[in-house]
Amino acid sequence: MSARDDAQELISKICSCRPHGFLGKIDESRRGIGFVLVYLEESDHEVIAGELSRELNVSTARIAALLKSMEKNGLILRERSVSDARHTVVKITQAGIDYVEKLKEQILSEMEFLVEKVGKEELEEFIRISQKIRKALEE
């Protein structure tokens, strides 16, 4: 079997076994709405929209659209900075905090389930191999 055939077979196997739902929740907490809310909840300073744009590595227009949607859904508040009116300060609402707590609890519960069903050692091996794959792809 050629390396190309091996690659095609492995792609099929990876696609069929990837835990999309669980990894999707983790991905959600690392980008978009989830990222913004977690960042705001964990921040110990006044967060401006430009900072979120830099942290997410997206344009200010894109972050403005995301924040508009989040504000419409009651997850955040946007206000002009008292110290510099050119900046928009972003604050998390109680609904946003509730969203983050629910997301974190879902992820933690599912990981706890996986530890019980798969075992910590095998999950750590999966992580070790995943890190090795990531490193190889970044070279």
Side-chain angles (χ1 to χ4, degrees):
M1 192 178 262
S2 73
R4 189 161 198 79
D5 291 335
D6 288 343
Q8 288 178 326
E9 180 183 338
L10 290 170
I11 288 169
S12 178
K13 287 180 179 180
I14 287 172
C15 290
S16 69
C17 75
R18 185 177 188 269
H20 295 284
F22 176 66
L23 294 178
K25 286 185 183 89
I26 292 175
D27 289 344
E28 180 183 346
S29 72
R30 303 272 188 248
R31 65 175 186 245
I33 291 172
F35 174 87
V36 170
L37 292 175
V38 169
Y39 191 87
L40 292 172
E41 184 197 38
E42 294 177 354
S43 180
D44 61 354
H45 64 280
E46 190 175 78
V47 176
I48 60 170
E51 179 180 344
L52 293 169
S53 175
R54 283 188 304 279
E55 291 294 323
L56 272 170
N57 196 27
V58 297
S59 70
T60 53
R62 191 134 168 100
I63 202 73
L66 177 63
L67 295 177
K68 182 178 181 180
S69 170
M70 292 174 70
E71 188 172 39
K72 180 180 174 188
N73 291 317
L75 300 172
I76 60 149
L77 294 173
R78 292 185 296 172
E79 303 171 347
R80 286 281 171 217
S81 173
V82 176
S83 59
D84 187 343
R86 296 174 297 169
H87 296 293
T88 300
V89 175
V90 184
K91 297 180 180 179
I92 191 168
T93 63
Q94 186 59 51
I97 292 169
D98 294 344
Y99 180 99
V100 169
E101 293 307 315
K102 183 178 176 185
L103 182 61
K104 286 180 178 180
E105 182 55 37
Q106 287 175 336
I107 292 169
L108 191 56
S109 292
E110 288 188 28
M111 183 55 75
E112 185 177 19
F113 173 80
L114 287 175
V115 169
E116 290 172 5
K117 293 294 183 184
V118 177
K120 183 178 180 201
E121 296 79 21
E122 289 194 52
L123 289 168
E124 287 176 338
E125 181 69 2
F126 169 77
I127 292 166
R128 185 191 68 74
I129 292 168
S130 295
Q131 288 170 333
K132 191 172 181 178
I133 291 169
R134 183 178 189 157
K135 184 178 179 184
L137 292 171
E138 290 174 350
E139 291 178 346

